[in-house]
Amino acid sequence: MPDPPATALQSQLAAAGRSGPEGVVRAVDLVLAEADQLAASDVHFQPTARGLEVRFRLDGVLQPVATLPRELAPNVIARLKVMAELLTYRTDIPQEGSIRAAPGARAPERRVSTFPTVHGENAVVRVFNPAAGLLDLDQLGLPPPVLATLDALLRERAGAVFLTGPSGSGKTTTIYACLRRLAGETVARHIVTIEDPVERMLDGVSQSQARPGTEFDFARGLRSLLRQDPEVIMVGEVRDRETAAVAIEAALTGHLVFSTLHAGSACGVVGRLLEMGVEPYLLTGGIKGILNQRLLRRLCDECKRPAGAVWQAVGCDRCGGTGYRGRLMVTELLTPGPEFRAAVLGKADTDTLQAVAVRSGWTTVRDRAADAVAAGQTTPAEVDRVLGPG
């Protein structure tokens, strides 16, 4: 099997590390350039007892790429801080910043987060592909039934649509695709957002950035947005009862509201909102749809091999030895029916809500993952990695 991705980087970094302060600058540039080349979504600089481990997140999975000498770790992290305009002399607190591209450069946006650990500061650089947030709904790979239902929800004039899934599951890309579809309508609607942070600039959309912990948090910002005569509102994330209540109330008073909420399933979103203290009657009247999504690694077409009724990952030069190349989305889209709404009014738990939804013919995310395995697009092991054992 070929070596892990970017192992050739190790020798280049070793040479750079022997070149003094200029070598540290060169080493950081080499890592970030290699991350761009491999389309990594995150770059991890993790200090350990033996050195500074460099890892890339490729197709959702962390891959080791190099190890820098322990003595270089503080200088490498300091270089990242300089690039992100952070305080280099504060090594005892977490910090966040952005690496700004030079004017006219086509470099991706990078956000840097540092965090103190017992072995030194850990740094993670999140890389934002400029094109990723500008996909159309038709380009997301949604199953036809899901796409048709989501399209119908976009034509609604009121109601709330929630998206859920773990970090890195593509929620922002999907919600931006929805907003772009709405912004492109012949009869324009007033679309406003409150986000933390604003990840992409969208034409035809008034975007604002909340600052949690200040007077401009999600809840207060949302209340103010309602006085801006909006027709479509996007709230970056529902994190507390107040934001949830205001969002649902907006959905009930003639606004189409989109937001994200962290939960394990579409039914789990309702469970989380009930736990937050949102009244059941508000949920049954306000929620129009809940989309739960996950990203599975797609089998490499060059090297995958049949293994009985399924296919297995092998690994080749084309996929960097992983057996996978690219990702595919699996989803479940819940549109509450009468029986489901009755269960919500009864404050049923998530398992009961799930059973009610399945009884009505709802297709779960695990069902769609099983279809992807049967079609030779991914493997049972990948499904278990992302969704857990079934």
Side-chain angles (χ1 to χ4, degrees):
M1 181 180 293
D3 292 334
T7 51
L9 185 63
Q10 181 71 61
S11 59
Q12 294 175 291
L13 292 177
R18 294 191 292 267
S19 304
E22 296 81 5
V24 171
V25 174
R26 173 66 176 155
V28 172
D29 289 345
L30 282 169
V31 170
L32 296 182
E34 187 72 12
D36 292 346
Q37 180 69 26
L38 295 173
S41 61
D42 300 88
V43 183
H44 289 240
F45 296 84
Q46 181 178 352
T48 67
R50 70 187 189 92
L52 184 66
E53 304 285 345
V54 181
R55 298 185 292 173
F56 293 166
R57 188 172 295 281
L58 302 170
D59 291 333
V61 177
L62 278 178
Q63 302 282 356
V65 295
T67 301
L68 290 168
R70 181 175 173 81
E71 59 271 17
L72 288 182
N75 293 333
V76 170
I77 303 301
R79 172 57 184 167
L80 288 169
K81 285 183 170 182
V82 169
M83 296 173 72
E85 301 179 2
L86 301 178
L87 302 176
T88 57
Y89 60 88
R90 293 302 303 268
T91 61
D92 58 332
I93 58 172
Q95 297 188 64
E96 296 180 11
S98 297
I99 298 177
R100 300 177 183 177
R106 296 181 59 84
E109 180 184 355
R110 300 186 180 99
R111 294 189 186 141
V112 178
S113 169
T114 65
F115 197 89
T117 75
V118 294
H119 291 298
E121 286 185 282
N122 192 88
V124 177
V125 181
R126 171 148 286 191
V127 184
F128 292 89
N129 180 351
L134 300 177
L135 296 176
D136 293 329
L137 275 179
D138 299 334
Q139 298 174 304
L140 298 181
L142 295 168
V146 172
L147 181 59
T149 304
L150 188 55
D151 224 2
L153 290 173
L154 295 181
R155 292 194 293 271
E156 294 281 352
R157 289 313 193 211
V161 178
F162 286 97
L163 283 80
T164 190
S167 297
S169 61
K171 298 187 299 296
T172 300
T173 298
T174 300
I175 210 167
Y176 276 10
C178 291
L179 295 181
R180 293 182 70 240
R181 173 72 62 91
L182 290 168
E185 291 179 335
T186 304
V187 179
R189 288 192 255 181
H190 185 200
I191 307 172
V192 297
T193 76
I194 178 167
E195 309 170 56
D196 177 32
V198 174
E199 295 191 5
R200 298 288 185 276
M201 302 304 297
L202 303 175
D203 292 337
V205 179
S206 297
Q207 296 172 265
S208 58
Q209 183 159 319
R211 293 184 293 276
T214 71
E215 294 184 3
F216 188 22
D217 57 16
F218 276 123
R220 295 179 188 179
L222 180 53
R223 290 188 188 279
S224 296
L225 278 182
L226 292 174
R227 294 190 283 272
Q228 292 285 307
D229 188 31
E231 293 168 281
V232 179
I233 302 171
M234 191 274 265
V235 183
E237 183 181 352
V238 168
R239 300 174 179 172
D240 53 63
R241 182 191 179 282
E242 186 179 6
T243 305
V246 177
I248 295 295
E249 288 169 6
L252 290 168
T253 54
H255 305 87
L256 182 58
V257 179
F258 292 86
S259 189
T260 68
L261 188 150
H262 285 287
S265 65
C267 293
V269 168
V270 177
R272 281 287 312 280
L273 292 169
L274 288 171
E275 290 170 2
M276 286 180 184
V278 180
E279 292 296 333
Y281 72 89
L282 294 176
L283 300 181
T284 58
I287 295 178
K288 295 291 186 181
I290 304 171
L291 179 69
N292 175 33
Q293 63 183 67
R294 298 290 190 277
L295 294 176
L296 301 175
R297 288 185 295 171
R298 187 187 295 272
L299 275 168
C300 174
D301 288 330
E302 298 293 323
C303 62
K304 68 179 183 180
R305 292 178 185 170
V310 298
W311 292 75
Q312 66 178 358
V314 178
C316 65
D317 291 332
R318 187 81 180 273
C319 61
T322 65
Y324 299 92
R325 192 160 178 261
R327 289 192 283 179
L328 61 96
M329 184 189 294
V330 289
T331 60
E332 57 187 17
L333 178 55
L334 175 66
T335 52
E339 187 181 358
F340 188 88
R341 289 195 291 269
V344 174
L345 286 173
K347 294 187 177 181
D349 60 24
T350 298
D351 289 341
T352 302
L353 292 174
Q354 184 101 356
V356 170
V358 170
R359 202 159 52 238
S360 67
W362 178 53
T363 303
T364 69
V365 68
R366 193 170 287 278
D367 293 333
R368 299 202 185 280
D371 291 341
V373 170
Q377 296 175 308
T378 191
T379 64
E382 175 65 5
V383 172
D384 288 346
R385 183 188 71 83
V386 174
L387 300 180

